[in-house]
Amino acid sequence: MDKKVAFYTLGCKLNFSETSTIARDFSSEGFERVDFKEKADIYVINTCSVTENADKRFKSIVKQAQKVNPEAFVAAVGCYAQLKPQELADVDGVDLVLGATEKFKITDYLNDLSKNDMGEVHSCEIEDANFYVGSYSIGDRTRAFLKVQDGCDYKCTYCTIPLARGVSRSDTLENVLENARAISAKNIKEIVLTGVNIGDYGKGEFGNKKHGHTFYELVKALDKVEGIERLRISSIEPNLLKNETIEFVSKSKAFVPHFHIPLQSGNNEILKLMRRRYMKELYVERVSRIKEVMPHACIGVDVIVGFPGETDDLFLETYNFLNELEISYLHVFTYSERDHTVAASLEGVVSKKVRAKRSKMLRGLSVKKRRAFYESQIGSSRTVLFEGENKEGYIQGFTENYVKVKSPWNPELVNTLQTVELTDIDDDGLVRFEFVSELVR
Ligand code: SF4
């Protein structure tokens, strides 16, 4: 009888694309994939090191699996497993912990799935994680996450990702195009490009430190692939989002007018302390260039509050900077100290209470910005990709410029692209619409 495997993924789109690839390996080894809530012979947890209380989350997920099947084999992979392997191996019920170089070979580490007395660790120095393994997610959601790049060579002082994922390296352009074709052949309408620092795409493509191709060349090549309806850039560093890419997206067949660009702070002194590679003036340039060629574009912003040295005045500078910018929503992160980071020993520590207060203020600003953006789209004609879940009698979806819409549940709409006119905003903040043409089947 087929062995059953279940997965739990924490963190980013990159982690989801890698879980999906690892799951396909299990299927090719004859495992049947079941939901994490169901009884399985092995549970695989793909961990994240950025998640708040990552350790508590991990322990509760292991407990959840053990409750369903105390005999099951429990394996941990991902960024947290690379950063703190022994800490995870010491958690009751964990049998195997694999680091960044081993996670894609997990099926090689499985014997008869009998539990180990203590968690076995197969991890390595992150310097060894210098080779590239491609991945993409399929079947889990309406859109597919396509990994094009991994690791990072930047040294932002608050970040542990380079320690968890290694140096910047990229898939070959040919392989990315092949994966994109494979995804569109499965009737997936939207592909989201993902990685750690995707603007650095091309670095290490041919196994050396040089750039084989650039991100701009990747975008142009992907736009030519037949059958892909939509391409979305997940997140890109402002200094790596070149004007030529912005202009290309504004005229492209498939790339959607949605940019998610980490800012982190609206004050140049703090940006220097964070060792970010731009000043706020460059960020303004990028936003204005995007809005110049794509006035309806959606712009999402990552921002960190409570970084050491962020006084009330400097925080207000960030608040006002964001308030004045023509952006659409914020992802607000509360600064938290991470081991082995430069920022953890910087002076000017901000109290947790003040961090929480500032985070609340920026989340309030984000609601205001998103509302203003949605209002600016009312009356416009957009294309919606409908998702597959019946949410309390409603079907939801996103326009190309990331406006979230809803309408009464209709299974015929699932995973279809329809042209609509946005009419008004409902009390829950989602946008209603009217179909402007016959339904496309
Ligand atoms: S660019 Fe900076 S924040 Fe982003 S992964 Fe690299 S080091 Fe971390």
Side-chain angles (χ1 to χ4, degrees):
M1 191 177 68
D2 288 356
K3 293 273 185 203
K4 293 188 173 157
V5 59
F7 297 89
Y8 195 107
T9 304
L10 293 158
C12 63
K13 296 179 177 74
L14 184 52
N15 257 14
F16 278 93
S17 75
E18 294 182 341
T19 297
S20 191
T21 298
I22 292 170
R24 288 196 293 276
D25 288 349
F26 271 89
S27 310
S28 61
E29 302 270 337
F31 281 80
E32 178 201 342
R33 183 174 179 177
V34 295
D35 189 88
F36 199 83
K37 296 190 195 68
E38 290 175 49
K39 189 169 184 194
D41 302 288
I42 172 167
Y43 294 93
V44 180
I45 305 165
N46 194 352
T47 64
C48 166
S49 62
V50 177
T51 306
E52 201 63 32
N53 304 323
D55 48 348
K56 289 198 192 71
R57 282 296 304 283
F58 178 73
K59 285 184 184 138
S60 71
I61 295 164
V62 173
K63 267 212 186 82
Q64 193 188 329
Q66 289 212 291
K67 216 156 139 217
V68 182
N69 181 7
E71 303 311 307
F73 192 91
V74 177
V77 299
C79 296
Y80 192 17
Q82 173 62 39
L83 285 175
K84 306 217 167 143
Q86 200 49 51
E87 200 173 292
L88 296 190
D90 294 344
V91 172
D92 193 26
V94 172
D95 301 285
L96 179 68
V97 179
L98 297 180
T101 59
E102 307 311 302
K103 62 183 171 191
F104 291 105
K105 295 180 250 169
I106 183 170
T107 52
D108 300 351
Y109 285 90
L110 306 178
N111 46 37
D112 59 358
L113 295 184
S114 55
K115 291 193 76 57
N116 294 332
D117 301 339
M118 29 195 301
E120 235 179 74
V121 172
H122 297 274
S123 178
C124 68
E125 295 315 312
I126 197 58
E127 290 72 27
D128 302 341
N130 52 13
F131 55 90
Y132 185 89
V133 179
S135 71
Y136 59 85
S137 70
I138 218 150
D140 316 297
R141 297 161 182 238
T142 306
R143 50 189 63 76
F145 301 140
L146 172 56
K147 174 183 174 180
V148 297
Q149 185 272 350
D150 201 348
C152 186
D153 291 347
Y154 284 18
K155 301 263 176 291
C156 304
T157 55
Y158 51 85
C159 184
T160 55
I161 298 173
L163 301 171
R165 285 191 165 268
V167 294
S168 181
R169 51 211 193 279
S170 309
D171 206 348
T172 62
L173 183 59
E174 210 25 64
N175 210 29
V176 173
L177 299 179
E178 203 179 304
N179 285 343
R181 289 187 202 103
I183 293 169
S184 71
K186 295 219 165 58
N187 192 29
I188 297 265
K189 302 273 187 316
E190 180 172 312
I191 294 178
V192 181
L193 304 186
T194 188
V196 172
N197 192 350
I198 66 174
D200 200 25
Y201 174 78
K203 194 161 197 185
E205 185 181 351
F206 303 120
N208 55 30
K209 278 263 163 234
K210 297 206 187 71
H211 276 78
H213 292 88
T214 64
F215 183 70
Y216 176 52
E217 288 165 337
L218 171 72
V219 165
K220 287 197 291 180
L222 277 167
D223 202 49
K224 293 199 193 93
V225 175
E226 286 306 314
I228 302 179
E229 309 261 2
R230 281 184 169 178
L231 285 156
R232 199 176 295 274
I233 299 170
S234 58
S235 174
I236 184 166
E237 294 294 309
N239 51 304
L240 295 174
L241 177 57
K242 306 296 181 197
N243 279 344
E244 58 195 359
T245 304
I246 294 172
E247 266 126 40
F248 183 85
V249 168
S250 71
K251 303 188 187 81
S252 94
K253 170 179 76 64
F255 275 90
V256 294
H258 174 203
F259 297 88
H260 192 93
I261 315 170
L263 168 72
Q264 308 309 18
S265 175
N267 169 268
N268 286 343
E269 290 320 305
I270 297 288
L271 288 175
K272 280 187 201 136
L273 286 172
M274 289 175 165
R275 236 181 264 162
R276 300 290 285 162
R277 296 194 180 195
Y278 53 86
M279 293 288 107
K280 65 181 188 178
E281 291 74 17
L282 177 137
Y283 202 90
V284 175
E285 265 174 44
R286 290 289 176 276
V287 170
S288 343
R289 188 74 195 121
I290 292 169
K291 285 292 181 176
E292 218 173 291
V293 292
M294 292 169 275
H296 62 301
C298 177
I299 301 178
V301 183
D302 288 344
V303 59
I304 295 175
V305 290
F307 189 79
E310 185 187 66
T311 60
D312 284 349
D313 289 351
L314 296 187
F315 170 68
L316 281 179
E317 190 183 331
T318 292
Y319 186 97
N320 296 332
F321 178 77
L322 290 164
N323 196 27
E324 278 142 35
L325 268 184
E326 216 187 330
I327 51 161
S328 320
Y329 64 88
L330 305 175
H331 283 176
V332 183
F333 299 89
T334 303
Y335 173 73
S336 58
E337 288 76 2
R338 293 269 179 258
D339 295 351
H340 314 299
T341 60
V342 173
S345 49
L346 286 177
E347 285 164 12
V349 172
V350 178
S351 76
K352 291 257 174 0
K353 200 156 153 273
V354 172
R355 294 180 206 184
K357 197 180 97 221
R358 291 176 184 169
S359 172
K360 192 162 178 236
M361 280 178 71
L362 283 188
R363 280 181 280 122
L365 178 62
S366 181
V367 171
K368 209 181 88 187
K369 284 284 180 183
R370 194 188 292 275
R371 177 91 194 182
F373 175 64
Y374 280 10
E375 275 164 5
S376 74
Q377 297 304 304
I378 298 302
S380 69
S381 167
R382 297 280 164 231
T383 308
V384 172
L385 174 57
F386 288 94
E387 303 191 343
E389 208 183 326
N390 179 337
K391 293 209 165 151
E392 293 156 17
Y394 284 89
I395 189 167
Q396 297 181 349
F398 283 93
T399 65
E400 67 273 27
N401 60 346
Y402 217 52
V403 173
K404 196 168 188 175
V405 306
K406 67 175 218 181
S407 103
W409 173 250
N410 173 356
E412 285 182 45
L413 290 174
V414 171
N415 196 31
T416 67
L417 279 163
Q418 308 290 344
T419 306
V420 304
E421 182 180 315
L422 305 179
T423 54
D424 63 320
I425 304 175
D426 197 358
D427 301 345
D428 58 7
L430 299 188
V431 176
R432 290 189 287 216
F433 57 87
E434 278 158 11
F435 292 104
V436 294
S437 59
E438 280 295 300
L439 289 194
V440 180
R441 307 269 172 237

